[in-house]
Structure formats: C-alpha cells, structure tokens
Amino acid sequence: MDPLDQPTVGLPGDVRMPLLGFGTWQATGEAGYAAVLAALDAGYRHIDTAAMYGNEAEVGRAIRDSGLRREDVFVTTKLPPERVGRERETIEASLRALGMDHVDLWLIHWPPSAPSDSIPMWRELLAARDENLARAVGVSNYGTAQIDELIQATEENPAVNQIRWGPSLYDRQRHAEHRNRGVVLEGYSPFKTTDLADPVLTRIAAAHDVSPAQVVLRWHIDHEIVVIPKSVTPERIRVNADVWHFSLTAGEMRDIDALAG
C-alpha cells in the first residue's frame, strides 16, 4: 500500500491522523535516529515523540534525512505536566529541537499533579493551536471525567487521548465515551500489555499467515483506534508496518475483545 493511502482518522480543523504510528519512547541518540529513519523507510507516516523522551532532535533529523515532505509525516509531541505556566516556551523549545515550525498534534503528557492546573494548561494548548504552532491538540493518560472538565471549561474537546491500550485492556464503555465526545482514542504499549502467545491471537495469526503482533495492530486499526508500536529493531519495525494486506472478521474482533475478560 502507498503510505499516503493508509487509513486515517479525522481530527478537528480538517486534520487527518494516520491510524498506525511509530512510538519513540526510550529510542534516544543515534539508535533513536536510526529507528525513526527505518520506520519512515518501512512506510510509517506518523511519528510520536515527547519533550520528556529527550529525542525530539533525533526525530526531526530523521524526518529531514528521510527525504519525505514535512506535510507527509504526522508528528506528535507532548508537554510535561510540570511545565504548567511555561507551556509556550516548552512548545517553542520542542519545535526548535524538531527543526519544525509546527507539530501536527500536541498533547498534555499526563494530568498535572494539581488538578486545578489542568484547565489553564489546556487553554495554553488551545492558544498554541490558534497560533498555528500545532494543528491539533489533545491529552494523554486522562480519564473521562478529566476530559469532561476541559470540555465544560472551554467548550473545546481534546482531539485525542493517548492511553495504555491493548486487547487485555479493551473497555467497550471507555471506547464509547471517547467516541461520544468526539475524542480519538490512541493506544500506546500495545505489546507490553498483551500476551502474544495467547491461543486466541496465535490461532487468528495462523489463519491470516501473520504474527500475533500484527494481529494486535490490525485489531486496533479495525476498531479505528490509533496505535503506536515501538521498536528499534529494523526487521520488527518492518513487520509491524506490514498490516494492510489483511483484516479481521467480526468474529475474530469479538474473540480478541473478549481477552479483556
């Protein structure tokens, strides 16, 4: 599949976010640079980083060195919650490190330790979006009640909530709560939270002649949940990107959903 034809989900402001992304947590230095370059070469067009990962410069360099056009790569970074009151200088520092004039998505990485800081931080993200420093803004690791506080205070929904997700964590109600609020659910640590040797996953993988990890990624995509696997191993990066030649049946999706017990 042409990477530009990969399925996307719509965010406010006519922004399209690829359902498959590449996570870069713990991918630092030259190994991080090489992993992002390998991911772009394998067809990923969505790269997820964060100020606290300490790798924004390597991510930006890899995107430039890939030869791809900036507008063809969706880039997310995140604001550390302790930077309350310093949001603007933090996004400017992230953009300098990335070598970009904007990111596609900027997230509050975790709810601030003082709950009263959450709404002021959110207002600063909205201001950055309105100044075109980020095309869309959202949150990470937020509960539904915390999202509702932001919506009630500002009448602006976070575009995305990035949370730990995987078959064993599947929560139909939480998924519906996001959908009902117009918030895209983005899952991280899809493999860390999953037993890839589970008989359900190995059976479905064998039926499609793919790996259990590919089944887990496809399960996210078929639910229209954004997923960001991470690896620094070139072969695994390639395999994880190769999920477009099969899809799961309704029965297989139900069987995987049921792994959450």
Side-chain angles (χ1 to χ4, degrees):
M1 173 183 284
D2 184 320
L4 294 179
D5 294 333
Q6 289 178 19
T8 59
V9 63
L11 307 183
D14 202 27
V15 176
R16 304 299 306 182
M17 181 180 191
L19 281 168
L20 178 67
F22 184 72
T24 66
W25 180 56
Q26 294 181 322
T28 54
E30 284 304 306
Y33 165 80
V36 174
L37 207 52
L40 295 168
D41 185 58
Y44 289 90
R45 292 297 179 265
H46 166 190
I47 307 294
D48 180 273
T49 183
M52 64 169 56
Y53 295 172
N55 64 6
E56 289 170 317
E58 288 81 8
V59 167
R61 182 160 61 92
I63 292 170
R64 286 191 301 279
D65 290 353
S66 73
L68 295 167
R69 299 186 307 169
R70 167 66 186 92
E71 59 265 34
D72 291 339
V73 183
F74 187 99
V75 179
T76 300
T77 196
K78 309 183 196 78
L79 170 73
E82 67 273 12
R83 295 289 180 87
V84 63
R86 293 184 291 154
E87 297 87 355
R88 178 62 184 252
E89 70 180 73
T90 303
I91 185 64
E92 288 177 349
S94 287
L95 293 174
R96 274 196 306 276
L98 287 161
M100 298 173 183
D101 61 7
H102 72 277
V103 288
D104 299 284
L105 180 64
W106 192 31
L107 305 177
I108 300 174
H109 204 149
W110 293 87
S113 52
S116 59
D117 287 339
S118 195
I119 290 166
M121 285 194 100
W122 180 233
R123 291 190 192 281
E124 288 299 320
L125 266 73
L126 295 171
R129 181 202 62 191
D130 292 345
E131 293 176 48
N132 300 315
L133 300 177
R135 296 173 69 217
V137 289
V139 295
S140 182
N141 301 299
Y142 270 59
T144 303
Q146 294 168 311
I147 290 172
D148 284 344
E149 282 179 17
L150 303 184
I151 296 171
Q152 287 159 10
T154 63
E155 298 186 346
E156 291 260 24
N157 302 9
V160 171
N161 184 25
Q162 185 184 118
I163 58 177
R164 277 170 72 92
W165 199 258
S168 68
L169 300 176
Y170 182 65
D171 182 334
R172 188 183 306 278
Q173 181 179 340
R174 195 169 188 199
H175 189 195
E177 288 168 354
H178 283 76
R179 208 166 38 237
N180 294 342
R181 289 159 178 75
V183 178
V184 169
L185 179 56
E186 178 177 14
Y188 69 82
S189 295
F191 306 138
K192 194 170 282 191
T193 58
T194 302
D195 175 9
L196 293 175
D198 186 284
V200 170
L201 296 178
T202 57
R203 168 176 58 80
I204 294 170
H208 293 280
D209 193 25
V210 296
S211 70
Q214 287 169 303
V215 169
V216 169
L217 297 178
R218 189 71 218 196
W219 171 81
H220 285 77
I221 290 162
D222 287 349
H223 266 310
E224 294 200 320
I225 292 170
V226 179
V227 62
I228 48 170
K230 69 181 186 67
S231 176
V232 294
T233 309
E235 178 57 26
R236 195 166 298 147
I237 289 169
R238 278 194 298 276
V239 171
N240 289 347
D242 184 19
V243 292
W244 309 119
H245 60 290
F246 73 103
S247 58
L248 302 174
T249 67
E252 289 168 341
M253 292 290 286
R254 282 194 298 273
D255 289 347
I256 300 170
D257 292 351
L259 293 176

